[in-house]
Coordinates of all heavy atoms in Angstrom, one line a residue:
S4 N 0.8 -1.2 0.0 CA 0.0 0.0 0.0 C 0.9 1.3 0.0 O 1.9 1.3 0.7 CB -0.9 0.0 1.2 OG -1.9 -1.0 1.2
D5 N 0.4 2.2 -0.7 CA 1.1 3.5 -0.8 C 0.1 4.5 -0.1 O -0.8 5.0 -0.7 CB 1.4 3.9 -2.3 CG 2.3 3.0 -2.9 OD1 3.3 2.6 -2.3 OD2 2.1 2.6 -4.1
V6 N 0.4 4.8 1.1 CA -0.5 5.5 2.0 C -0.1 7.0 2.2 O 1.0 7.3 2.2 CB -0.6 4.8 3.4 CG1 -1.5 5.5 4.3 CG2 -1.0 3.4 3.2
Y7 N -1.2 7.8 2.3 CA -1.0 9.2 2.7 C -2.2 9.7 3.5 O -3.2 9.0 3.5 CB -0.8 10.1 1.4 CG -2.0 10.2 0.5 CD1 -2.9 11.3 0.6 CD2 -2.3 9.3 -0.4 CE1 -3.9 11.5 -0.2 CE2 -3.3 9.4 -1.3 CZ -4.2 10.5 -1.2 OH -5.3 10.6 -2.0
V8 N -2.0 10.8 4.2 CA -3.1 11.3 5.0 C -3.4 12.8 4.6 O -2.5 13.6 4.4 CB -2.7 11.3 6.5 CG1 -3.8 11.8 7.4 CG2 -2.3 9.9 6.9
E9 N -4.7 13.1 4.5 CA -5.1 14.4 4.3 C -5.7 14.9 5.7 O -6.4 14.2 6.3 CB -6.3 14.5 3.3 CG -5.9 14.1 1.9 CD -7.0 14.1 0.9 OE1 -8.2 14.1 1.4 OE2 -6.8 14.1 -0.3
V10 N -5.2 16.1 6.1 CA -5.7 16.7 7.3 C -6.3 18.0 7.0 O -5.7 18.8 6.3 CB -4.5 16.8 8.3 CG1 -4.9 17.3 9.7 CG2 -3.7 15.6 8.4
E11 N -7.5 18.3 7.6 CA -8.1 19.6 7.4 C -9.0 19.9 8.5 O -9.5 19.0 9.3 CB -8.8 19.7 6.1 CG -10.1 18.8 6.0 CD -10.8 19.0 4.6 OE1 -10.3 18.3 3.7 OE2 -11.8 19.7 4.5
I12 N -9.3 21.2 8.7 CA -10.3 21.6 9.7 C -11.6 21.4 9.0 O -11.9 21.9 7.9 CB -10.0 23.1 10.0 CG1 -8.6 23.3 10.6 CG2 -11.1 23.6 11.0 CD1 -8.2 24.8 10.6
E13 N -12.5 20.7 9.8 CA -13.8 20.5 9.3 C -14.5 21.8 8.9 O -14.6 22.7 9.7 CB -14.7 19.7 10.3 CG -16.0 19.2 9.8 CD -16.7 18.3 10.8 OE1 -17.2 18.9 11.8 OE2 -16.6 17.1 10.6
G14 N -15.1 21.8 7.6 CA -15.8 23.0 7.2 C -14.9 24.1 6.6 O -15.3 25.1 6.2
K15 N -13.5 23.9 6.6 CA -12.6 24.8 6.1 C -11.6 24.1 5.1 O -10.5 23.8 5.4 CB -11.8 25.5 7.2 CG -12.6 26.2 8.2 CD -11.7 26.8 9.3 CE -12.6 27.6 10.4 NZ -11.7 28.1 11.4
S16 N -12.2 23.8 3.9 CA -11.4 23.0 3.0 C -10.1 23.6 2.5 O -9.2 22.9 2.1 CB -12.3 22.6 1.7 OG -12.7 23.8 1.1
D17 N -10.0 24.9 2.6 CA -8.8 25.6 2.2 C -7.6 25.4 3.3 O -6.5 25.7 3.0 CB -9.0 27.1 2.0 CG -9.5 27.8 3.3 OD1 -10.2 27.2 4.1 OD2 -9.2 29.0 3.4
S18 N -8.0 24.7 4.4 CA -6.9 24.5 5.4 C -6.2 23.1 5.2 O -5.3 22.8 5.8 CB -7.6 24.4 6.8 OG -8.5 23.2 6.9
K19 N -6.6 22.4 4.2 CA -6.1 21.0 4.0 C -4.6 21.0 3.7 O -4.1 21.7 2.9 CB -6.9 20.3 2.8 CG -6.4 18.9 2.6 CD -7.2 18.0 1.7 CE -7.8 18.6 0.5 NZ -8.5 17.7 -0.4
V20 N -4.0 20.0 4.4 CA -2.6 19.7 4.1 C -2.5 18.2 3.9 O -3.3 17.4 4.4 CB -1.6 20.1 5.3 CG1 -1.6 21.6 5.4 CG2 -2.1 19.5 6.6
T21 N -1.6 17.8 3.1 CA -1.4 16.4 2.7 C 0.0 15.9 3.0 O 1.0 16.6 2.6 CB -1.8 16.2 1.2 OG1 -3.1 16.7 1.0 CG2 -1.8 14.7 0.8
T22 N 0.1 14.7 3.5 CA 1.5 14.1 3.8 C 2.0 13.6 2.4 O 1.3 13.4 1.5 CB 1.4 13.0 4.8 OG1 0.7 11.9 4.2 CG2 0.7 13.4 6.1
A23 N 3.3 13.3 2.5 CA 3.9 12.6 1.3 C 3.3 11.1 1.3 O 2.8 10.6 2.3 CB 5.4 12.5 1.5
V24 N 3.4 10.5 0.2 CA 3.0 9.1 0.1 C 4.1 8.2 0.6 O 5.3 8.4 0.3 CB 2.7 8.7 -1.4 CG1 2.4 7.2 -1.6 CG2 1.5 9.6 -1.9
V25 N 3.7 7.2 1.5 CA 4.7 6.3 2.1 C 4.3 4.9 1.8 O 3.1 4.5 1.9 CB 4.8 6.5 3.6 CG1 5.7 5.5 4.2 CG2 5.3 7.9 3.9
T26 N 5.2 4.0 1.3 CA 4.9 2.7 1.0 C 4.9 1.8 2.3 O 5.9 1.9 3.1 CB 5.9 2.1 0.0 OG1 5.8 2.9 -1.2 CG2 5.6 0.6 -0.3
G27 N 3.8 1.1 2.5 CA 3.7 0.3 3.7 C 4.3 -1.1 3.5 O 4.6 -1.5 2.4
T28 N 4.6 -1.8 4.7 CA 5.1 -3.1 4.7 C 4.1 -4.1 5.2 O 3.5 -3.9 6.3 CB 6.4 -3.1 5.6 OG1 7.3 -2.1 5.2 CG2 7.0 -4.5 5.6
A29 N 3.8 -5.1 4.4 CA 2.8 -6.1 4.7 C 3.4 -7.1 5.6 O 4.6 -7.5 5.4 CB 2.2 -6.7 3.5
S30 N 2.7 -7.6 6.6 CA 3.1 -8.6 7.5 C 2.0 -9.4 8.1 O 0.9 -8.9 8.2 CB 4.0 -8.1 8.7 OG 3.2 -7.2 9.5
Q31 N 2.2 -10.6 8.4 CA 1.1 -11.5 9.0 C 1.3 -11.5 10.5 O 2.5 -11.5 11.0 CB 1.2 -12.9 8.5 CG 0.0 -13.7 8.7 CD -1.1 -13.3 7.8 OE1 -0.9 -12.7 6.8 NE2 -2.3 -13.7 8.1
K32 N 0.2 -11.3 11.3 CA 0.3 -11.3 12.8 C 0.8 -12.7 13.2 O 0.5 -13.7 12.6 CB -1.1 -11.1 13.4 CG -1.5 -9.7 13.3 CD -2.8 -9.6 14.1 CE -3.3 -8.1 14.1 NZ -4.6 -8.0 14.8
E33 N 1.6 -12.7 14.3 CA 2.0 -14.0 14.8 C 0.8 -14.8 15.2 O -0.1 -14.3 15.9 CB 2.9 -13.7 16.1 CG 3.6 -14.9 16.6 CD 4.6 -14.6 17.7 OE1 5.3 -13.6 17.6 OE2 4.6 -15.4 18.7
G34 N 0.8 -16.1 14.8 CA -0.3 -17.0 15.2 C -1.5 -16.8 14.3 O -2.5 -17.5 14.5
A35 N -1.4 -16.0 13.3 CA -2.6 -15.8 12.4 C -2.7 -16.9 11.4 O -1.7 -17.5 11.0 CB -2.4 -14.5 11.6
G36 N -3.9 -17.2 11.0 CA -4.2 -18.3 10.0 C -4.0 -17.7 8.6 O -3.9 -16.5 8.4
E37 N -3.9 -18.6 7.6 CA -3.6 -18.2 6.3 C -4.7 -17.4 5.7 O -4.5 -16.6 4.7 CB -3.3 -19.4 5.4 CG -4.4 -20.3 5.1 CD -4.1 -21.4 4.1 OE1 -3.2 -22.2 4.5 OE2 -4.7 -21.5 3.1
N38 N -5.9 -17.5 6.2 CA -7.0 -16.7 5.7 C -7.2 -15.3 6.4 O -8.1 -14.5 6.0 CB -8.3 -17.4 5.7 CG -8.3 -18.6 4.8 OD1 -7.7 -18.6 3.7 ND2 -9.0 -19.7 5.2
D39 N -6.4 -15.1 7.4 CA -6.5 -13.8 8.2 C -5.9 -12.7 7.4 O -4.9 -12.9 6.6 CB -5.8 -13.9 9.5 CG -6.5 -14.8 10.5 OD1 -7.7 -15.1 10.3 OD2 -5.9 -15.3 11.5
K40 N -6.4 -11.5 7.6 CA -5.9 -10.3 6.8 C -4.5 -10.0 7.3 O -4.1 -10.1 8.4 CB -6.8 -9.2 7.0 CG -8.2 -9.4 6.5 CD -9.1 -8.2 6.6 CE -10.5 -8.4 6.2 NZ -10.7 -9.1 4.9
Q41 N -3.7 -9.4 6.4 CA -2.3 -9.0 6.7 C -2.4 -7.6 7.4 O -3.3 -6.8 7.1 CB -1.5 -8.9 5.5 CG -1.1 -10.3 4.9 CD -0.1 -10.1 3.8 OE1 -0.1 -9.1 3.0 NE2 0.8 -11.1 3.7
N42 N -1.4 -7.4 8.2 CA -1.1 -6.0 8.7 C -0.4 -5.2 7.6 O 0.5 -5.8 7.0 CB -0.2 -6.0 9.9 CG -1.0 -6.5 11.2 OD1 -2.2 -6.5 11.2 ND2 -0.2 -6.9 12.2
I43 N -0.7 -4.0 7.5 CA 0.1 -3.1 6.7 C 0.6 -2.0 7.6 O -0.2 -1.2 8.2 CB -0.7 -2.4 5.6 CG1 -1.4 -3.4 4.7 CG2 0.2 -1.5 4.7 CD1 -0.5 -4.3 3.9
D44 N 1.9 -2.0 7.9 CA 2.5 -1.0 8.8 C 3.1 0.1 8.0 O 3.9 -0.1 7.0 CB 3.6 -1.7 9.6 CG 3.1 -2.8 10.5 OD1 2.0 -2.6 11.1 OD2 3.7 -3.8 10.6
V45 N 2.7 1.3 8.3 CA 3.1 2.5 7.6 C 3.5 3.5 8.7 O 2.8 3.8 9.6 CB 2.0 3.1 6.7 CG1 2.5 4.4 6.1 CG2 1.5 2.1 5.7
E46 N 4.7 4.1 8.5 CA 5.1 5.1 9.4 C 5.2 6.5 8.7 O 6.0 6.6 7.8 CB 6.5 4.8 10.0 CG 6.9 5.8 11.1 CD 8.2 5.4 11.9 OE1 8.5 4.2 11.9 OE2 8.9 6.2 12.4
L47 N 4.4 7.4 9.1 CA 4.4 8.7 8.5 C 4.8 9.7 9.6 O 4.2 9.7 10.7 CB 2.9 9.1 8.1 CG 2.4 8.4 6.9 CD1 0.8 8.6 6.9 CD2 3.0 9.0 5.6
K48 N 5.8 10.5 9.3 CA 6.2 11.5 10.3 C 6.0 12.8 9.5 O 6.6 13.0 8.5 CB 7.7 11.3 10.7 CG 7.9 10.1 11.5 CD 9.3 10.0 12.0 CE 9.5 8.8 12.8 NZ 10.9 8.7 13.4
F49 N 5.1 13.6 10.1 CA 4.7 14.8 9.3 C 4.4 16.0 10.3 O 3.8 15.8 11.3 CB 3.4 14.5 8.5 CG 2.9 15.7 7.8 CD1 3.4 16.1 6.6 CD2 1.8 16.4 8.3 CE1 2.9 17.2 5.9 CE2 1.2 17.5 7.6 CZ 1.8 17.8 6.4
V50 N 4.9 17.1 9.9 CA 4.6 18.3 10.7 C 4.0 19.3 9.7 O 4.6 19.5 8.6 CB 5.9 18.9 11.3 CG1 5.6 20.3 12.0 CG2 6.5 18.0 12.3
G51 N 2.9 19.9 10.0 CA 2.3 20.9 9.1 C 1.5 21.9 9.9 O 1.3 21.7 11.2
E52 N 1.0 22.9 9.3 CA 0.2 24.0 9.9 C -1.2 24.0 9.3 O -1.3 24.0 8.1 CB 0.9 25.3 9.7 CG 0.1 26.5 10.4 CD 0.8 27.8 10.1 OE1 2.0 27.9 9.8 OE2 0.1 28.8 10.3
L53 N -2.2 24.0 10.2 CA -3.6 24.1 9.7 C -3.9 25.6 9.8 O -4.2 26.1 10.9 CB -4.5 23.2 10.6 CG -4.4 21.7 10.4 CD1 -5.2 21.0 11.4 CD2 -4.7 21.3 9.0
K54 N -3.9 26.2 8.7 CA -4.2 27.7 8.7 C -5.7 27.9 9.0 O -6.5 27.2 8.5 CB -3.8 28.2 7.3 CG -2.4 28.2 7.0 CD -2.0 28.9 5.7 CE -0.6 28.7 5.2 NZ 0.4 29.1 6.0
G55 N -5.9 28.8 9.9 CA -7.2 29.2 10.2 C -7.8 28.4 11.4 O -9.0 28.6 11.8
Y56 N -7.0 27.6 12.1 CA -7.4 26.8 13.2 C -7.7 27.7 14.4 O -6.9 28.6 14.7 CB -6.4 25.8 13.6 CG -6.8 25.0 14.9 CD1 -7.7 24.0 14.8 CD2 -6.3 25.4 16.1 CE1 -8.1 23.3 16.0 CE2 -6.7 24.8 17.3 CZ -7.6 23.7 17.2 OH -8.0 23.1 18.4
V57 N -8.9 27.5 15.0 CA -9.2 28.2 16.3 C -9.7 27.1 17.3 O -10.2 26.1 16.9 CB -10.3 29.3 16.1 CG1 -9.7 30.4 15.3 CG2 -11.5 28.7 15.5
A58 N -9.4 27.4 18.5 CA -9.8 26.4 19.6 C -11.3 26.0 19.4 O -12.2 26.9 19.1 CB -9.6 27.0 20.9
G59 N -11.6 24.7 19.4 CA -12.9 24.2 19.2 C -13.2 23.7 17.8 O -14.2 23.0 17.6
D60 N -12.3 24.0 16.9 CA -12.4 23.4 15.5 C -12.2 21.9 15.6 O -11.4 21.4 16.4 CB -11.4 24.0 14.6 CG -11.8 25.4 14.0 OD1 -12.9 25.8 14.2 OD2 -10.9 26.0 13.5
K61 N -12.9 21.2 14.7 CA -12.8 19.8 14.6 C -11.7 19.5 13.5 O -11.8 20.1 12.4 CB -14.1 19.1 14.2 CG -15.1 19.1 15.3 CD -16.4 18.4 14.8 CE -17.4 18.4 15.9 NZ -18.6 17.7 15.5
I62 N -10.8 18.6 13.8 CA -9.7 18.3 12.8 C -10.0 16.9 12.2 O -10.2 16.0 13.0 CB -8.3 18.4 13.4 CG1 -8.1 19.7 14.0 CG2 -7.2 18.0 12.4 CD1 -6.8 19.8 14.8
L63 N -10.1 16.8 10.9 CA -10.4 15.6 10.2 C -9.2 15.0 9.5 O -8.5 15.7 8.8 CB -11.5 15.9 9.1 CG -12.0 14.7 8.3 CD1 -12.6 13.7 9.1 CD2 -13.0 15.3 7.2
F64 N -9.0 13.7 9.8 CA -7.9 13.0 9.2 C -8.5 12.0 8.3 O -9.3 11.2 8.7 CB -7.1 12.2 10.3 CG -6.3 13.1 11.3 CD1 -7.0 13.6 12.4 CD2 -5.0 13.4 11.1 CE1 -6.3 14.4 13.3 CE2 -4.3 14.2 12.0 CZ -5.0 14.7 13.1
K65 N -8.1 12.0 7.0 CA -8.5 11.0 6.0 C -7.3 10.2 5.5 O -6.4 10.8 5.0 CB -9.2 11.6 4.8 CG -10.5 12.3 5.1 CD -11.1 12.9 3.9 CE -12.4 13.7 4.2 NZ -12.9 14.4 3.0
V66 N -7.3 8.9 5.7 CA -6.2 8.1 5.2 C -6.6 7.4 3.9 O -7.7 6.9 3.8 CB -5.9 7.0 6.3 CG1 -4.7 6.2 5.8 CG2 -5.6 7.6 7.6
K67 N -5.7 7.5 2.9 CA -5.9 7.0 1.6 C -4.8 6.2 1.1 O -3.6 6.4 1.5 CB -6.2 8.2 0.6 CG -7.5 9.0 1.1 CD -7.8 10.1 0.1 CE -9.1 10.8 0.4 NZ -9.5 11.8 -0.6
D68 N -5.1 5.4 0.1 CA -4.1 4.6 -0.6 C -4.0 5.1 -2.0 O -4.9 5.2 -2.8 CB -4.5 3.1 -0.6 CG -3.5 2.2 -1.4 OD1 -2.3 2.5 -1.3 OD2 -4.0 1.3 -2.0
K69 N -2.8 5.6 -2.4 CA -2.5 6.2 -3.7 C -2.5 5.1 -4.7 O -1.8 4.1 -4.7 CB -1.1 6.9 -3.7 CG -0.8 7.6 -4.9 CD -1.6 8.8 -5.0 CE -1.3 9.7 -6.2 NZ -2.2 10.7 -6.4
D70 N -3.4 5.3 -5.7 CA -3.4 4.4 -6.9 C -3.1 5.3 -8.1 O -3.7 6.3 -8.4 CB -4.8 3.8 -7.0 CG -5.0 2.7 -6.0 OD1 -4.1 1.9 -5.8 OD2 -6.1 2.7 -5.4
F71 N -2.1 4.9 -8.9 CA -1.7 5.7 -10.0 C -2.5 5.4 -11.3 O -2.5 6.2 -12.2 CB -0.2 5.4 -10.3 CG 0.6 5.9 -9.1 CD1 1.0 5.0 -8.1 CD2 1.0 7.2 -8.9 CE1 1.8 5.5 -7.0 CE2 1.7 7.7 -7.8 CZ 2.1 6.8 -6.9
L72 N -3.3 4.3 -11.4 CA -4.0 4.0 -12.6 C -5.5 4.2 -12.4 O -6.3 4.0 -13.3 CB -3.7 2.6 -13.0 CG -2.3 2.3 -13.4 CD1 -2.1 0.8 -13.7 CD2 -1.8 3.2 -14.5
K73 N -6.0 4.5 -11.2 CA -7.4 4.7 -10.9 C -7.5 5.7 -9.7 O -6.5 6.1 -9.2 CB -8.1 3.4 -10.6 CG -7.6 2.6 -9.4 CD -8.3 1.3 -9.2 CE -7.8 0.7 -7.9 NZ -8.8 0.0 -7.2
S74 N -8.7 6.0 -9.3 CA -8.8 6.9 -8.2 C -8.3 6.3 -6.9 O -8.4 5.0 -6.7 CB -10.3 7.4 -8.0 OG -11.2 6.3 -8.1
D75 N -7.9 7.1 -6.0 CA -7.3 6.6 -4.7 C -8.3 5.9 -3.8 O -9.5 6.3 -3.9 CB -6.7 7.8 -3.9 CG -5.5 8.4 -4.7 OD1 -5.0 7.8 -5.7 OD2 -5.0 9.5 -4.3
D76 N -7.9 4.9 -3.1 CA -8.8 4.2 -2.2 C -8.9 4.9 -0.8 O -7.8 5.3 -0.3 CB -8.3 2.8 -2.0 CG -8.3 1.9 -3.3 OD1 -9.3 2.1 -4.1 OD2 -7.4 1.1 -3.5
F77 N -10.1 5.0 -0.3 CA -10.3 5.5 1.1 C -10.0 4.4 2.1 O -10.6 3.3 2.0 CB -11.7 6.0 1.2 CG -12.1 6.4 2.6 CD1 -11.7 7.7 3.0 CD2 -12.9 5.6 3.4 CE1 -12.1 8.1 4.3 CE2 -13.3 6.0 4.6 CZ -12.8 7.3 5.1
L78 N -9.1 4.6 3.0 CA -8.8 3.6 4.0 C -9.4 3.8 5.4 O -9.5 2.9 6.2 CB -7.3 3.5 4.2 CG -6.5 3.1 2.9 CD1 -5.0 3.1 3.2 CD2 -7.0 1.8 2.4
G79 N -9.8 5.1 5.7 CA -10.5 5.4 7.0 C -10.3 6.8 7.3 O -9.6 7.6 6.7
K80 N -11.1 7.2 8.4 CA -11.0 8.6 8.8 C -11.2 8.7 10.3 O -11.7 7.8 10.9 CB -12.1 9.5 8.1 CG -13.5 9.1 8.6 CD -14.5 10.0 8.0 CE -15.9 9.7 8.5 NZ -16.9 10.6 8.0
A81 N -10.7 9.8 10.9 CA -10.9 10.0 12.3 C -11.0 11.5 12.5 O -10.5 12.3 11.7 CB -9.7 9.5 13.1
T82 N -11.7 11.9 13.5 CA -11.9 13.3 13.9 C -11.5 13.6 15.3 O -11.8 12.9 16.2 CB -13.4 13.7 13.7 OG1 -13.9 13.4 12.4 CG2 -13.6 15.2 13.9
V83 N -10.7 14.7 15.4 CA -10.3 15.2 16.7 C -11.1 16.4 17.0 O -11.2 17.4 16.2 CB -8.8 15.5 16.8 CG1 -8.4 16.2 18.1 CG2 -8.0 14.3 16.5
T84 N -11.8 16.4 18.2 CA -12.7 17.5 18.5 C -12.1 18.5 19.6 O -12.7 19.5 19.8 CB -14.0 17.0 19.0 OG1 -13.9 16.2 20.1 CG2 -14.7 16.3 17.8
D85 N -11.1 18.1 20.3 CA -10.6 18.8 21.5 C -9.2 19.4 21.3 O -8.6 19.8 22.3 CB -10.8 18.1 22.8 CG -10.0 16.8 22.8 OD1 -9.3 16.5 21.8 OD2 -10.1 16.0 23.8
G86 N -8.6 19.3 20.1 CA -7.3 19.8 19.9 C -6.2 18.8 20.3 O -5.0 19.0 20.0
G87 N -6.5 17.6 20.8 CA -5.6 16.6 21.1 C -6.2 15.2 21.1 O -7.4 15.1 21.1
F88 N -5.4 14.2 21.0 CA -6.0 12.8 20.9 C -5.2 11.8 21.7 O -5.6 10.6 21.7 CB -6.1 12.4 19.4 CG -4.8 12.3 18.7 CD1 -4.1 11.1 18.7 CD2 -4.4 13.3 17.9 CE1 -2.9 11.0 17.9 CE2 -3.2 13.3 17.2 CZ -2.5 12.1 17.2
G89 N -4.3 12.2 22.5 CA -3.7 11.2 23.4 C -2.9 10.1 22.9 O -2.7 9.1 23.5
G90 N -2.6 10.1 21.6 CA -1.7 9.1 21.1 C -2.3 8.1 20.1 O -1.6 7.5 19.3
K91 N -3.6 7.8 20.1 CA -4.1 6.8 19.2 C -5.5 7.2 18.8 O -6.4 7.5 19.6 CB -4.2 5.5 19.9 CG -4.6 4.3 19.0 CD -4.4 3.0 19.7 CE -4.7 1.8 18.8 NZ -4.5 0.5 19.5
L92 N -5.8 7.2 17.4 CA -7.1 7.5 16.8 C -7.5 6.3 16.1 O -6.8 5.8 15.2 CB -7.0 8.7 15.9 CG -6.8 10.1 16.4 CD1 -6.6 11.0 15.3 CD2 -8.0 10.5 17.2
V93 N -8.7 5.7 16.4 CA -9.2 4.6 15.6 C -9.9 5.2 14.4 O -10.6 6.2 14.4 CB -10.3 3.8 16.5 CG1 -11.0 2.8 15.7 CG2 -9.6 3.3 17.7
L94 N -9.6 4.6 13.3 CA -10.1 5.0 12.0 C -11.5 4.4 11.7 O -11.6 3.2 11.8 CB -9.2 4.6 10.8 CG -7.8 5.3 10.8 CD1 -7.0 4.8 9.6 CD2 -7.9 6.8 10.8
E95 N -12.5 5.2 11.4 CA -13.8 4.7 11.0 C -13.8 4.4 9.5 O -13.1 5.1 8.8 CB -14.8 5.8 11.3 CG -14.9 6.3 12.7 CD -15.8 7.5 12.8 OE1 -16.5 7.9 11.9 OE2 -15.8 8.1 13.9
G96 N -14.6 3.4 9.1 CA -14.7 3.1 7.7 C -13.5 2.4 7.1 O -13.3 2.4 5.9
A97 N -12.7 1.7 7.9 CA -11.5 1.0 7.4 C -11.9 -0.2 6.7 O -11.0 -0.8 6.0 CB -10.6 0.7 8.6
G98 N -13.1 -0.7 6.8 CA -13.6 -1.9 6.0 C -13.8 -3.0 7.0 O -13.2 -3.1 8.1
E99 N -14.7 -3.9 6.6 CA -15.1 -5.0 7.4 C -13.9 -5.9 7.7 O -13.1 -6.3 6.8 CB -16.2 -5.8 6.8 CG -16.7 -6.9 7.7 CD -17.9 -7.6 7.0 OE1 -18.6 -7.0 6.2 OE2 -18.1 -8.8 7.3
G100 N -13.6 -6.2 9.0 CA -12.5 -7.1 9.3 C -11.2 -6.4 9.5 O -10.2 -7.0 9.9
F101 N -11.2 -5.1 9.3 CA -9.9 -4.3 9.5 C -10.0 -3.5 10.7 O -11.1 -2.9 11.1 CB -9.7 -3.4 8.3 CG -9.3 -4.1 7.1 CD1 -10.2 -4.4 6.1 CD2 -8.0 -4.5 6.9 CE1 -9.8 -5.1 4.9 CE2 -7.6 -5.2 5.7 CZ -8.5 -5.5 4.7
Q102 N -8.9 -3.4 11.4 CA -8.7 -2.5 12.6 C -7.6 -1.6 12.2 O -6.5 -2.0 12.0 CB -8.4 -3.2 13.8 CG -9.5 -4.1 14.3 CD -9.2 -4.9 15.5 OE1 -8.1 -4.7 16.1 NE2 -10.0 -5.8 15.9
A103 N -7.9 -0.3 12.1 CA -6.9 0.7 11.6 C -6.9 1.9 12.6 O -7.9 2.2 13.2 CB -7.2 1.2 10.2
H104 N -5.7 2.4 12.8 CA -5.6 3.6 13.7 C -4.4 4.5 13.3 O -3.5 4.0 12.6 CB -5.4 3.1 15.1 CG -4.3 2.2 15.4 ND1 -4.3 0.9 15.2 CD2 -3.0 2.5 15.7 CE1 -3.2 0.3 15.5 NE2 -2.3 1.3 15.8
L105 N -4.4 5.7 13.8 CA -3.3 6.6 13.7 C -2.7 6.8 15.0 O -3.5 6.8 16.0 CB -3.8 8.0 13.2 CG -4.3 8.1 11.7 CD1 -4.9 9.5 11.5 CD2 -3.2 7.8 10.8
M106 N -1.4 6.9 15.1 CA -0.8 7.1 16.4 C 0.2 8.3 16.3 O 0.7 8.6 15.3 CB 0.0 5.9 16.9 CG -0.9 4.7 17.2 SD 0.0 3.2 17.7 CE 0.8 3.7 19.1

């Protein structure tokens, strides 16, 4: 997977910033069966500024998979409502059987 994240203030599309695309590494969980889904580990280190942010704004994270021959795949989203998230955000909409998060 070639993963990137779009970050924006909800309702302020001009605030959007996008990370670079990073290629993930697939691995099978220890003890997993052959029909179990693989883990895709991606490490994104990104610093950016959300222009127009004011206390109380909701920050939306959208994780996508870059596809060069078709439209990008949506992998999940998370929203921060209080300006912080304590280290781990569970992604909604990651697909049935998938557990995805941002840390």
Side-chain angles (χ1 to χ4, degrees):
S4 290
D5 297 317
V6 178
Y7 66 97
V8 180
E9 295 176 342
V10 185
E11 70 180 80
I12 301 166
E13 190 174 76
K15 299 179 182 179
S16 60
D17 59 330
S18 68
K19 182 169 37 176
V20 292
T21 304
T22 69
V24 175
V25 175
T26 300
T28 304
S30 64
Q31 198 72 20
K32 285 184 179 179
E33 188 175 319
E37 69 178 59
N38 293 329
D39 289 342
K40 298 185 185 310
Q41 288 188 326
N42 284 342
I43 304 292
D44 296 318
V45 178
E46 185 172 336
L47 291 163
K48 293 184 179 182
F49 178 78
V50 176
E52 180 181 343
L53 290 173
K54 296 186 188 296
Y56 175 81
V57 294
D60 280 346
K61 292 181 181 180
I62 302 171
L63 178 62
F64 295 83
K65 292 180 186 175
V66 181
K67 297 184 176 183
D68 179 34
K69 183 73 176 172
D70 286 316
F71 296 96
L72 300 177
K73 59 180 185 144
S74 48
D75 296 350
D76 295 322
F77 174 77
L78 300 178
K80 69 176 182 176
T82 304
V83 172
T84 58
D85 62 2
F88 60 89
K91 186 173 184 177
L92 289 173
V93 175
L94 296 179
E95 300 171 11
E99 187 176 332
F101 288 98
Q102 296 178 3
H104 59 270
L105 293 173
M106 293 178 62

